[in-house]
Amino acid sequence: MSVRIKTPNLDEIFEKWKQKAARIDRKKMEKQFGTKGAAFSLDAISAAEYVKDTMKEAAIYFAVKRSLGPAPKGKEENLVAAPRVGREQFYSFKGATKINKENWNGDEKVPQFESIQAVSCKTCKGKGYLESKCKTCKGTGKIEETFTVLVGEEQNKEKKLFSYPCGACYGTGNRTEPCKDCGGHKNMYKYDILPVPFKTVITGVPILHSSAQTKYEKEIGDDLHSMIEDVEGIRFSDFKELESKSEASLGYMNKNISKTISAARSDYKKHEKDNDSQITTQIYLFPMIQMLCETKKGQKFELYSLGSGNKFMTYSNF
Ligand SMILES: [Zn+2]
Ligand SMILES: [Zn+2]
């Protein structure tokens, strides 16, 4: 069972607006509603005379807390050869105060200078070169030749071995080549791509959807955010309940209100899914009365009320 909320009546709305408008600028009221030669009195200005049309609308309100940063979590690592370290753009936040995300111009994760670390090359075990058997001497360190020597008076041919150190490996039997992975620099270099240390800012954001196409949505939202106790609406804990009870609660319904409820529901779902967002209030449904008015001088203006007959606020472009 739902309880129908009492909508403020037109005279109450008009009266509240009239008093407020006179407090702000009495001269303007006098100019727009006064009669030449007669003493000006607020009492003579009635809704019946100056309200030309009235629409029954509705507004939906909820508030969310948004936390800005430290947004991305986790780190990435890069491992590169020495000459490539300098090609990366590094950042440093050492000793710096936390970054205001709104002022940050750049990626949310960046390579951090202080994280650069040398890592011994695995391929060459940190030597910078690779050893292999000399191909020229097959690892013996010597070049061997067989000479045919003519021996004695008979000059008999005899094979004799002759050897000398291999010139390709300086007689060691091994050759060294620069390591292809580290390029002879012994180390590879590792660095972290870390989230920028953003300040955590929790801000309260009022969300307002209204079926009256007003330019006061932001103002109304801000007002509700600070003075929700000053306006009476119907509270719901979810949209399913709101959708099933809105017509009975308001006592009226129209296409624009239905559309507004759908739009508010998608917005609400979006905030529910957003990890940086937290819904902090129930969902409020407010009756909203939109009045099209015209002064005695013919100046057209709009007047809105938001809330129940017990507690409502007025807005106007008068
Ligand atoms: Zn050799
Ligand atoms: Zn290496």
Side-chain angles (χ1 to χ4, degrees):
M1 226 200 84
S2 57
V3 182
R4 184 168 159 183
I5 195 163
K6 188 181 157 282
T7 308
N9 73 47
L10 303 194
D11 290 322
E12 288 170 335
I13 299 166
F14 195 81
E15 185 63 27
K16 189 167 183 170
W17 163 76
K18 194 171 71 179
Q19 299 297 339
K20 191 164 126 187
R23 268 198 312 276
I24 295 167
D25 192 345
R26 196 179 169 89
K27 274 197 179 138
K28 187 179 175 191
M29 288 295 277
E30 206 169 328
K31 194 180 158 210
Q32 288 296 332
F33 293 98
T35 311
K36 246 186 190 167
F40 175 68
S41 160
L42 278 180
D43 297 339
I45 310 169
S46 71
E49 196 171 347
Y50 299 109
V51 177
K52 305 300 175 194
D53 200 5
T54 303
M55 276 90 74
K56 287 184 167 178
E57 303 292 351
I60 291 165
Y61 166 84
F62 56 88
V64 298
K65 257 190 200 169
R66 283 189 64 76
S67 58
L68 296 170
K73 288 188 183 76
K75 66 172 187 181
E76 289 164 38
E77 245 178 40
N78 251 1
L79 188 69
V80 298
R84 285 192 53 198
V85 183
R87 286 188 217 159
E88 185 65 274
Q89 178 61 61
F90 286 96
Y91 294 75
S92 176
F93 302 102
K94 205 181 171 186
T97 50
K98 296 259 178 186
I99 309 299
N100 189 339
K101 196 175 183 178
E102 286 177 358
N103 299 338
W104 180 249
N105 185 12
D107 291 342
E108 297 196 344
K109 285 183 182 181
V110 292
Q112 312 226 343
F113 180 73
E114 283 76 17
S115 72
I116 303 174
Q117 263 186 306
V119 181
S120 188
C121 175
K122 274 185 189 158
T123 310
C124 64
K125 300 194 174 66
K127 286 187 297 199
Y129 58 87
L130 293 173
E131 273 180 315
S132 59
K133 239 192 227 177
C134 175
K135 279 181 190 136
T136 311
C137 64
K138 297 189 176 76
T140 61
K142 298 181 286 186
I143 306 292
E144 291 195 324
E145 287 188 33
T146 309
F147 295 169
T148 303
V149 180
L150 302 177
V151 178
E153 199 180 58
E154 293 80 20
Q155 298 190 10
N156 292 327
K157 288 178 181 174
E158 260 183 49
K159 305 270 184 204
K160 293 211 182 267
L161 284 177
F162 176 76
S163 71
Y164 52 92
C166 170
C169 63
Y170 314 112
T172 62
N174 294 316
R175 291 187 71 168
T176 59
E177 277 175 81
C179 170
K180 283 200 178 84
D181 284 340
C182 65
H185 296 287
K186 294 162 162 292
N187 300 321
M188 298 290 279
Y189 288 85
K190 188 171 84 172
Y191 58 87
D192 297 334
I193 300 169
L194 295 171
V196 174
F198 290 124
K199 255 185 220 160
T200 303
V201 185
I202 304 268
T203 47
V205 186
I207 312 283
L208 186 91
H209 290 266
S210 88
S211 67
Q213 305 296 312
T214 85
K215 49 186 171 184
Y216 307 108
E217 291 212 357
K218 188 174 182 317
E219 193 185 337
I220 296 173
D222 288 344
D223 283 353
L224 287 173
H225 200 53
S226 56
M227 319 184 280
I228 191 75
E229 295 305 320
D230 293 349
V231 197
E232 189 183 54
I234 314 148
R235 277 182 273 180
F236 299 98
S237 36
D238 58 60
F239 265 90
K240 210 177 151 191
E241 193 194 359
L242 185 146
E243 280 181 318
S244 68
K245 294 182 179 172
S246 52
E247 184 165 1
S249 306
L250 291 168
Y252 55 87
M253 181 53 57
N254 64 41
K255 257 190 197 167
N256 280 343
I257 298 176
S258 304
K259 268 192 208 164
T260 302
I261 293 173
S262 308
R265 187 189 51 207
S266 343
D267 201 11
Y268 190 87
K269 273 190 185 157
K270 199 182 77 197
H271 286 289
E272 268 184 328
K273 279 185 195 159
D274 186 351
N275 288 332
D276 291 337
S277 192
Q278 188 195 341
I279 298 161
T280 55
T281 61
Q282 286 187 294
I283 311 156
Y284 288 77
L285 176 67
F286 294 107
M288 202 170 174
I289 306 292
Q290 182 174 21
M291 295 153 86
L292 305 179
C293 313
E294 199 176 323
T295 68
K296 192 173 245 177
K297 284 273 161 69
Q299 187 196 319
K300 291 192 164 90
F301 65 99
E302 292 175 0
L303 175 53
Y304 297 92
S305 79
L306 181 93
S308 76
N310 294 328
K311 283 178 176 179
F312 64 91
M313 300 194 287
T314 62
Y315 294 88
S316 177
N317 60 347
F318 174 73

